[in-house]
């Protein structure tokens, strides 16, 4: 049977105290609503429909790969789902309704909810959770036979109902035809004056259609994000979930609580992550590499057997056996080839450092192509910007550059050349030559006494 998913992303989230819509806030670099979209897709949903409202101009780009429906007025969850009636006209299958501010929901749970509804031939399957402190949640009210009879919201609950601890998670799966028939009967006679989607349960029961409940194995999956504190709580929960998966796959973490890994990061076995590591975006780490401590990599590819120590790298490539840091910065376009080194206090931008070449310390390399077996002495700087344009530096294989050297681009250094320490090189240096570009040293004997003596 086909399954569609309606993702409710229209909530204002005023407690976030933010210019951004609630669902645009991020957990480990991914917006809240994208976590729900990916879970629905992972559960096998054939169609995804996202309902947007408040701040939709900022939400729509996040869900551009789904069918977007606008809820013109924020009149409650039933009204939000009803806005999808035209989009799902003629659809005859299961419709999962998901909250766009619940990033911890899993594909397995959504699939189990749809499966339970279909196997029971029910009008509705509702995901429930047992809560020690149920305050604020809708309560699941069962009949004498233990079947779900209705859901009552906190503000509408009697004292007896408020004492119930089985709560509504806000996740459902409906028979599509039964859903839209029932929505036409939902009213707004309640404390909020809103159209509650939860009323569909009682309406379905009154029509003689069965309603089933699926108990969430982990209530944390249903955590909604309505405040900064809850955003931090969800982020911490996702950190644990992702780290546990990597640990089980053969990654070593000295202190998992201090390691943060994004959902799209790939890490091979026998990688060691030291404290203070943050891996985000499409970062990939090859086996036997050691990363950290205090390292942040974003959209960076690291090969096998690398050592990345106290490094920030963004959109960089680090090949097998390369080393980086401590306190190195690889900016977009930086490429350390096999066995290359970027050492202490080194910044590299849009440059290739060839196989086995070294930039050991206190250097800036920008817009440069460096061959194999090159050594750049301490304090080497490629002067790539003339105030208007960027220019390239090309350094051939086996070049040795002395300390405190300025290479003023555009400039090329031939293979095997040696550049004397303290040089300012403004012209090309041919292969095998010694390049010097320093002022002649002058000594004036007795000058100090003559000028400062008594």
């Amino acid at each position: 049977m086909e399954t569609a998913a309606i993702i409710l992303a229209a909530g204002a989230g005023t407690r976030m105290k933010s210019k951004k819509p609630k669902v645009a806030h991020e957990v480990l670099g991914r917006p809240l609503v994208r976590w729900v979209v990916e879970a629905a897709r992972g559960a096998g949903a054939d169609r995804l429909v996202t309902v947007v409202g408040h701040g939709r101009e900022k939400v729509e780009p996040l869900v551009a790969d789904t069918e977007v429906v606008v809820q013109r007025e924020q009149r409650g969850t039933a009204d939000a789902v009803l806005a999808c009636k035209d989009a799902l006209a003629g659809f005859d299958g299961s419709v999962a309704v998901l909250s766009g501010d619940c990033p911890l929901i899993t594909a397995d749970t959504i699939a189990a909810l749809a499966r339970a509804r279909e196997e029971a031939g029910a009008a509705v399957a509702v995901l429930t959770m047992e809560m020690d402190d149920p305050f604020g949640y809708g309560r699941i009210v069962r009949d004498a036979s233990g079947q779900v009879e209705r859901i009552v919201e906190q503000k509408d609950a009697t004292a007896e109902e408020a004492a119930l601890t089985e709560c509504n998670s806000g996740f459902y799966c409906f028979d599509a035809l039964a859903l839209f028939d029932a929505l036409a009967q939902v009213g707004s006679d309640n404390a909020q004056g809103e159209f509650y989607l939860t009323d569909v349960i009682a309406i379905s029961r009154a029509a003689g259609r069965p309603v089933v409940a699926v108990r969430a194995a982990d209530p944390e999956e249903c955590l909604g994000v309505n405040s900064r504190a809850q955003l931090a709580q969800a982020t911490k929960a996702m950190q644990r979930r992702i780290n546990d998966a990597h640990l089980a796959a053969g990654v070593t973490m000295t202190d998992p609580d201090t390691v943060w890994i994004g959902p799209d990061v790939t890490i091979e076995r026998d990688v060691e992550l030291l404290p203070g590591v943050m891996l985000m975006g499409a970062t990939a780490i090859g086996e036997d590499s050691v990363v950290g401590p205090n390292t942040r990599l974003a959209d960076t590819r690291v090969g096998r057997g690398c050592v990345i120590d106290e490094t920030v790298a963004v959109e960089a490539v680090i090949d097998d056996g390369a080393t980086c840091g401590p306190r190195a910065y690889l900016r977009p376009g930086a490429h350390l080839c096999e066995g290359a080194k970027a050492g202490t206090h080194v910044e590299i931008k849009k440059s290739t450092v060839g196989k086995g070449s070294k930039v050991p310390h206190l250097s800036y390399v920008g817009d440069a192509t460096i061959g194999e077996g090159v050594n750049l002495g301490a304090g080497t700087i490629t002067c790539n910007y003339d105030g208007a344009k960027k220019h390239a530096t090309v350094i051939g294989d086996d070049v040795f550059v002395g300390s405190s050297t300025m290479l003023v681009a555009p400039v090329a250094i031939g293979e095997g050349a040696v550049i004397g320490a303290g040089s300012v090189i403004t012209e090309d240096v041919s292969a095998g030559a010694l390049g010097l570009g320093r002022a002649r040293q002058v000594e004036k004997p007795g000058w100090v006494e003559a000028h400062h003596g008594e």
Side-chain angles (χ1 to χ4, degrees), residues 94-178:
S94 292
V95 178
V97 176
L98 314 173
S99 298
D101 62 354
C102 296
L104 300 175
I105 194 67
T106 65
D108 287 347
T109 295
I110 297 170
L113 195 60
R115 189 164 54 249
R117 190 209 70 76
E118 292 164 9
E119 290 175 353
V124 189
V126 56
L127 186 67
T128 72
M129 52 189 181
E130 194 68 30
M131 303 294 290
D132 294 332
D133 179 8
F135 183 82
Y137 290 94
R139 307 302 202 279
I140 303 296
V141 180
R142 295 179 180 265
D143 62 19
S145 66
Q147 300 300 306
V148 176
E149 185 176 75
R150 57 195 172 89
I151 298 174
V152 60
E153 299 299 330
Q154 173 76 41
K155 291 185 178 180
D156 301 305
T158 64
E160 183 180 2
E161 291 166 342
L164 298 172
T165 56
E166 186 183 11
C167 298
N168 178 30
S169 69
F171 291 90
Y172 317 88
C173 187
F174 298 92
D175 172 87
L177 298 180

Side-chain angles (χ1 to χ4, degrees), residues 44-64:
D46 303 286
R47 294 179 63 182
L48 298 178
V49 181
T50 305
V51 182
V52 299
H54 171 78
R56 67 177 185 266
E57 70 284 352
K58 296 180 180 179
V59 177
E60 287 188 39
L62 304 178
V63 293

Side-chain angles (χ1 to χ4, degrees), residues 8 71 75-83 183 186 195-198 200:
L8 305 182
Q71 184 187 18
R75 302 194 302 168
T77 49
D79 182 65
V81 175
L82 188 59
L183 285 174
V186 173
F195 296 89
Y196 292 154
L197 182 60
T198 50
V200 171

Side-chain angles (χ1 to χ4, degrees), residues 12-300:
T14 53
R15 282 192 287 157
M16 298 296 286
K17 299 189 186 302
S18 173
K19 297 184 293 294
K20 293 197 300 186
K22 174 173 60 173
V23 297
H25 285 265
E26 296 181 350
V27 165
L28 296 179
R30 178 184 284 179
L32 299 179
V33 70
R34 285 307 309 179
W35 285 100
V36 184
V37 168
E38 296 305 326
R41 187 164 282 130
D46 303 286
R47 294 179 63 182
L48 298 178
V49 181
T50 305
V51 182
V52 299
H54 171 78
R56 67 177 185 266
E57 70 284 352
K58 296 180 180 179
V59 177
E60 287 188 39
L62 304 178
V63 293
D65 57 340
T66 73
E67 302 172 56
V68 176
V69 169
V70 178
Q71 184 187 18
R72 300 294 176 184
E73 297 180 60
Q74 316 298 282
R75 302 194 302 168
T77 49
D79 182 65
V81 175
L82 188 59
C84 301
K85 183 176 181 179
D86 291 341
L88 292 175
F91 182 81
D92 183 11
S94 292
V95 178
V97 176
L98 314 173
S99 298
D101 62 354
C102 296
L104 300 175
I105 194 67
T106 65
D108 287 347
T109 295
I110 297 170
L113 195 60
R115 189 164 54 249
R117 190 209 70 76
E118 292 164 9
E119 290 175 353
V124 189
V126 56
L127 186 67
T128 72
M129 52 189 181
E130 194 68 30
M131 303 294 290
D132 294 332
D133 179 8
F135 183 82
Y137 290 94
R139 307 302 202 279
I140 303 296
V141 180
R142 295 179 180 265
D143 62 19
S145 66
Q147 300 300 306
V148 176
E149 185 176 75
R150 57 195 172 89
I151 298 174
V152 60
E153 299 299 330
Q154 173 76 41
K155 291 185 178 180
D156 301 305
T158 64
E160 183 180 2
E161 291 166 342
L164 298 172
T165 56
E166 186 183 11
C167 298
N168 178 30
S169 69
F171 291 90
Y172 317 88
C173 187
F174 298 92
D175 172 87
L177 298 180
L179 169 63
F180 291 107
D181 284 346
L183 285 174
Q185 304 174 53
V186 173
S188 59
D189 184 16
N190 52 62
Q192 296 285 87
E194 294 185 350
F195 296 89
Y196 292 154
L197 182 60
T198 50
D199 288 353
V200 171
I201 281 74
I203 292 169
S204 297
R205 282 296 307 270
R209 296 292 305 273
V211 174
V212 296
V214 176
R215 187 72 61 89
D218 182 2
E220 191 173 60
E221 277 194 50
C222 309
L223 174 68
V225 174
N226 292 295
S227 66
R228 302 283 182 164
Q230 289 174 334
L231 182 65
Q233 185 181 351
T235 301
K236 190 66 179 178
M238 191 62 75
Q239 178 206 27
R240 288 193 299 268
R241 182 186 295 178
I242 290 175
N243 286 2
D244 285 348
H246 285 293
L247 289 165
V251 175
T252 296
M253 300 182 201
T254 308
D255 183 2
D257 281 343
T258 65
V259 174
W260 300 86
I261 303 173
D264 300 316
V265 173
T266 58
I267 308 174
E268 295 183 7
R269 64 183 181 181
D270 293 320
V271 167
E272 184 175 3
L273 304 179
L274 300 176
V277 167
M278 178 175 283
L279 308 177
M280 291 293 139
T283 293
I285 312 291
E287 64 182 32
D288 299 318
S289 289
V290 178
V291 180
N294 306 324
T295 292
R296 175 169 60 89
L297 309 181
D299 298 310
T300 291

